[in-house]
């Protein structure tokens, strides 16, 4: 098949996608560049190469590819997201905030765009309140948009508003049951000294994903606390939550993966 269609970009894009999934990032760069050479209007090729370069920590090169994708299609969310993530990776906070704000203006205040904006704002303690406002607006657009719910719950928990964080994740669990969500809820419940309920949540997380190491660790800490009465509890780490599920990338109820149709970040 490849020999018959090697002059079309699609097979090269498919190979690049496979290489991203299998962590063969250098090959992904090569295949996506091959696709772009065959079709220099291919946003998919530019996005794939952009994400691959970002994975290789070649941030400035990645920025150029996401910008090029936006010149071809200014309404491509993945290109906006990639550019924002590059600025964050380069510690260019003002530009990241500006790019995320521009995403909302260009694409409208959708759940995905508002969540991206809130994610960037949440990185600065001075803009936490604005971040919460963006995420709350995102959930008004889509009350079960998982990434917005998880980020907002994390902000609530960071301000010791554990009841709000717990309520938000419980609501999300009425819509979908995933290992990472049960793990996250278990962490909040442990911090709220509800260790038995936390244990139940960790058990559910492990039933859904037996290899969820964070859930196992949290369960062991909660059990130890119950036995010894010490002050240990499971912390909730958003990066671990985002990466712990085998069942899917974080998905919102819009039917899209966490941020995008094809998220390789």
């Amino acid at each position: 098949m490849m020999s018959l269609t090697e002059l079309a970009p699609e097979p090269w894009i498919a190979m690049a996608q496979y290489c991203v999934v299998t962590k063969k990032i250098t090959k992904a760069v090569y295949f996506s560049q091959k696709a772009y050479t065959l079709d220099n209007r291919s946003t998919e090729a530019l996005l794939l190469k952009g994400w691959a370069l970002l994975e290789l920590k070649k941030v400035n090169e990645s920025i150029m590819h996401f910008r090029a994708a936006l010149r071809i299609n200014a309404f491509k969310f993945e290109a906006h997201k990639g550019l924002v993530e590059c600025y964050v990776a380069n510690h260019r906070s003002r530009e990241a905030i500006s790019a995320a704000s521009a995403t909302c203006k260009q694409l409208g205040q959708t759940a995905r765009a508002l969540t991206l904006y809130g994610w960037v704002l949440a990185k600065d303690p001075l803009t936490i309140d604005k971040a919460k406002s963006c995420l709350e607006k995102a959930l008004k657009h889509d009350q079960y948009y998982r990434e917005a719910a998880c980020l907002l719950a994390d902000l609530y928990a960071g301000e010791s508003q554990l009841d709000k964080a717990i309520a938000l994740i419980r609501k999300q669990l009425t819509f979908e049951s995933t290992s990472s969500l049960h793990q996250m809820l278990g962490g909040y419940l442990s911090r709220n000294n509800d260790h038995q309920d936390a244990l139940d949540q960790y058990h559910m997380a492990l039933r859904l994903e037996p290899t969820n190491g964070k859930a196992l660790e949290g369960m062991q800490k909660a059990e130890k606390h119950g036995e010894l009465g010490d002050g240990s509890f499971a912390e909730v780490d958003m990066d671990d939550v985002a990466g712990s599920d085998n069942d899917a990338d974080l998905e919102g109820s819009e039917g899209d993966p966490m941020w995008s149709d094809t998220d390789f970040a």
Side-chain angles (χ1 to χ4, degrees):
M1 178 181 174
M2 190 67 193
S3 62
L4 297 175
T5 58
E6 62 183 9
L7 297 181
E10 289 79 11
W12 300 103
I13 289 172
M15 292 177 69
Q17 290 172 332
Y18 174 78
C19 288
V20 169
V21 171
T22 56
K23 302 300 182 182
K24 298 175 181 178
I25 306 301
T26 302
K27 287 186 177 181
V29 172
Y30 170 78
F31 289 131
S32 54
Q33 177 58 41
K34 180 69 175 179
Y36 180 72
T37 301
L38 294 169
D39 179 5
N40 62 11
R41 299 287 297 174
S42 173
T43 56
E44 289 79 6
L46 286 167
L47 290 171
L48 270 168
K49 190 177 177 185
W51 289 120
L53 289 166
L54 182 57
E55 185 75 14
L56 293 171
K57 311 300 182 186
K58 297 182 178 181
V59 182
N60 291 330
E61 291 180 51
S62 182
I63 287 172
M64 290 190 295
H65 285 76
F66 289 126
R67 285 176 174 168
L70 285 171
R71 285 194 293 271
I72 296 171
N73 185 354
F75 294 93
K76 194 73 171 176
F77 175 80
E78 295 83 358
H80 287 279
K81 174 183 179 284
L83 190 58
V84 169
E85 290 200 8
C86 284
Y87 289 143
V88 169
N90 252 3
H91 307 289
R92 295 159 65 176
S93 299
R94 289 185 180 179
E95 288 163 288
I97 290 172
S98 178
S101 176
T103 302
C104 290
K105 292 175 182 176
Q106 181 72 43
L107 305 181
Q109 294 196 353
T110 64
R112 288 196 307 178
L114 286 164
T115 302
L116 177 63
Y117 194 19
W119 173 72
V120 175
L121 292 169
K123 294 186 175 297
D124 185 346
L126 297 177
T127 53
I128 290 293
D129 286 341
K130 193 172 181 180
K132 288 192 295 185
S133 178
C134 283
L135 295 168
E136 287 163 356
K137 286 180 181 177
L139 289 172
K140 286 181 180 178
H141 284 277
D142 182 349
Q143 63 177 324
Y144 295 116
Y145 190 68
R146 193 203 305 186
E147 180 66 8
C150 289
L151 287 171
L152 184 56
D154 195 50
L155 295 182
Y156 285 150
E159 296 178 337
S160 297
Q161 299 182 64
L162 289 168
D163 288 344
K164 284 188 174 182
I166 289 167
L168 197 54
I169 300 304
R170 285 196 189 279
K171 180 179 179 180
Q172 189 68 25
L173 281 165
T174 65
F175 176 73
E176 57 177 344
S177 178
T178 71
S179 180
S180 63
L181 286 172
H182 286 291
Q183 170 208 318
M184 190 176 192
L185 181 56
Y188 294 147
L189 289 165
S190 287
R191 292 176 61 178
N192 209 34
N193 295 316
D194 190 349
H195 300 292
Q196 185 55 54
D197 201 355
L199 279 171
D200 292 340
Q201 294 300 322
Y202 288 132
H203 280 299
M204 283 187 274
L206 289 167
R207 278 201 297 270
L208 290 167
E209 184 188 343
T211 58
N212 186 338
K214 289 295 177 179
L216 180 59
E217 180 183 351
M219 182 179 69
Q220 291 169 342
K221 287 183 178 181
E223 287 175 340
K224 182 179 178 182
H225 187 284
E227 292 171 1
L228 302 179
D230 66 15
S232 64
F233 53 76
E235 292 286 353
V236 176
D237 185 326
M238 284 303 298
D239 290 333
D240 294 323
V241 169
S244 66
D245 268 343
N246 287 331
D247 39 28
D249 289 333
L250 289 179
E251 291 183 359
S253 58
E254 292 176 340
D256 299 317
M258 181 167 76
W259 300 104
S260 63
D261 298 321
T262 312
D263 187 349
F264 301 100

